[in-house]
Amino acid sequence: KGRGMPEARRIYSIGHSTRPREELIRILKQYGIETLADLRHFPMSRHNPQFNRPDLERELPAHGIRCRRQLDFVSRYGSRDT
């Protein structure tokens, strides 16, 4: 590593689909994921409430995983900026 060079980091992508929250946590831990970046503009779901942002922010730290909302990676639906 060169002086002042940031440490290389790997980024994984996973969709929650309809899996149970426990399965998502198991997969994150299996790959050594320490931080989950939530890229959703609308982090709530009537169909999959186990993945609502408040629930994830409460549950993931209990398993050693940080949860961050990270909107700077995505654009809004219908945006002409991309």
Side-chain angles (χ1 to χ4, degrees):
K1 294 180 187 177
R3 186 177 199 156
M5 297 293 291
E7 181 181 334
R9 296 187 183 200
R10 186 169 289 174
I11 296 176
Y12 294 89
S13 174
I14 186 169
H16 63 69
S17 184
T18 57
R19 69 181 88 235
R21 181 176 38 233
E22 295 77 17
E23 184 179 348
L24 175 68
I25 291 169
R26 182 187 57 75
I27 292 168
L28 295 174
K29 291 183 79 63
Q30 176 182 341
Y31 285 93
I33 305 300
E34 298 173 351
T35 302
L36 175 73
D38 190 348
L39 305 179
R40 301 173 295 169
H41 277 285
F42 308 104
M44 303 295 278
S45 172
R46 286 187 207 142
H47 302 290
N48 296 293
Q50 70 273 28
F51 296 113
N52 288 346
R53 183 173 165 216
D55 294 67
L56 289 176
E57 288 176 337
R58 182 181 60 251
E59 291 290 326
L60 292 179
H63 297 276
I65 303 168
R66 292 179 297 231
C67 184
R68 294 183 50 184
R69 190 145 190 231
Q70 197 76 39
L71 293 179
D72 54 339
F73 282 108
V74 294
S75 62
R76 295 202 64 162
Y77 294 103
S79 172
R80 298 195 186 272
D81 295 340
T82 58

